[in-house]
Amino acid sequence: MPKQFRFQPIEPLVPERIREARLARGMTTIDLATSVGVTRQAISKYELGIAEPSSTVLNDIANSLNMPLSYFHKPLSAPANQGTVFFRSLKTNAARAKDVLSVKIQWAAQLAHILSEDIIFPEADLPSLPEKYAQVIEFTYDDIEEITLFLRRYWGLGTAPVTNMSRLLESHGIIVASVKTGFSETDACSSFIEKRPFVFLDMQKECAVRTRFNLAHELGHLMLHHDISQKDLDDKKTLDRIEKEANQFASCFLLPRASFILDIRSTSLSSFLPLKAKWKTSIQAMVYRCRELEVFSENQMIYIQKQISAKKWRRQEPYDNEWPCEEPVILRTAIQMLIDRGDYSKEEFVELLRLPEKDIEEICSLPNGYLSPIHQSKPIVINFSPKTNA
């Protein structure tokens, strides 16, 4: 009787990949266990490598997480040299939203690394702070005002409105990737990975002016807070301070004092509508900037705030749903160039990353379905049966 052999995959199962995929989908161990039909303890054992799921259970896990089976056999690579990750929000569900972002940050970094082997990205061109700020721990409003002007001069922007924040950052070597966490608690985050600045936009809440402010906010973190450690962020006072500084940076950068102040002629909200179109910044952000610049008196500010509330513009303003969001192009262009040049077929590129097509398309701002297999046309069926008489 021939000896029976148990089939072994070429690559062993990597337990850590189960946890990564679960976190990327914003699921708890209970969520995944319920979906698969096993216990929470079983999922924990699979993720720790204490037990190995059967092929049937692993297939169910892959289906529940919408991941290819090959992902769970993808070898772990050496962790990237990653600096502090600056998350925008710490509200309800923040832990799960941060888990989603943390995994997708790794995916985006790996993707950018693979692309960099064939594509030369723009050189990172983020200047060091002027010497006078080298040892500064806490920045004043005037400090931030001066630093934004310094950066504008360094990049040759003058004091005009920024036409496209996403393109501006990418042109100076900052990789911008887009993600969707499925939660409303996050806006964006940023980090240095292998000395390359990255910004990750959560496109769950698509709003053009909000996206631009988020990009400017993260630019503020990259400029001001590169010495802040991940442990420092555990201190609420430190976290609140750097968030406030990043907001001030975004306000000063998008609305430079010298030119923006000349456009303020009235306290009427209708006068801010053409300014919103010009500066591509929310009315509330412009009003906040006016308060910083002491353009209006306290009574005038109260009047304006009442107008905003009366018009119900706290959550949504005019044009918010009309203007398209700025989309990052650097990763998308790199992939399209490699595929068009014939370096990879779409299928080969997806197999290389071992990620779902939709996740790659999301991170790289590719059109939906760009990486999906081409649907074959329906075959023509030739009927050889004898004709029946009418």
Side-chain angles (χ1 to χ4, degrees), residues 77-121:
S77 55
N81 182 13
Q82 180 174 311
T84 303
V85 181
F86 297 99
F87 291 100
R88 279 291 313 270
S89 181
L90 289 174
K91 300 175 184 176
T92 309
N93 282 329
R96 293 173 72 177
K98 284 172 63 177
D99 285 340
V100 175
L101 278 172
S102 295
V103 175
K104 292 192 174 184
I105 285 172
Q106 295 175 36
W107 291 354
Q110 292 166 10
L111 201 153
H113 175 73
I114 290 172
L115 291 173
S116 68
E117 294 178 357
D118 297 291
I119 298 290
I120 299 176
F121 291 121

Side-chain angles (χ1 to χ4, degrees), residues 23 29 31 78 89 114 192 329:
L23 294 179
T29 51
D31 293 334
S89 181
I114 290 172
F192 282 91
V329 298

Side-chain angles (χ1 to χ4, degrees), residues 70-83:
S70 61
Y71 181 79
F72 302 105
H73 298 280
K74 183 178 180 179
L76 295 174
S77 55
N81 182 13
Q82 180 174 311

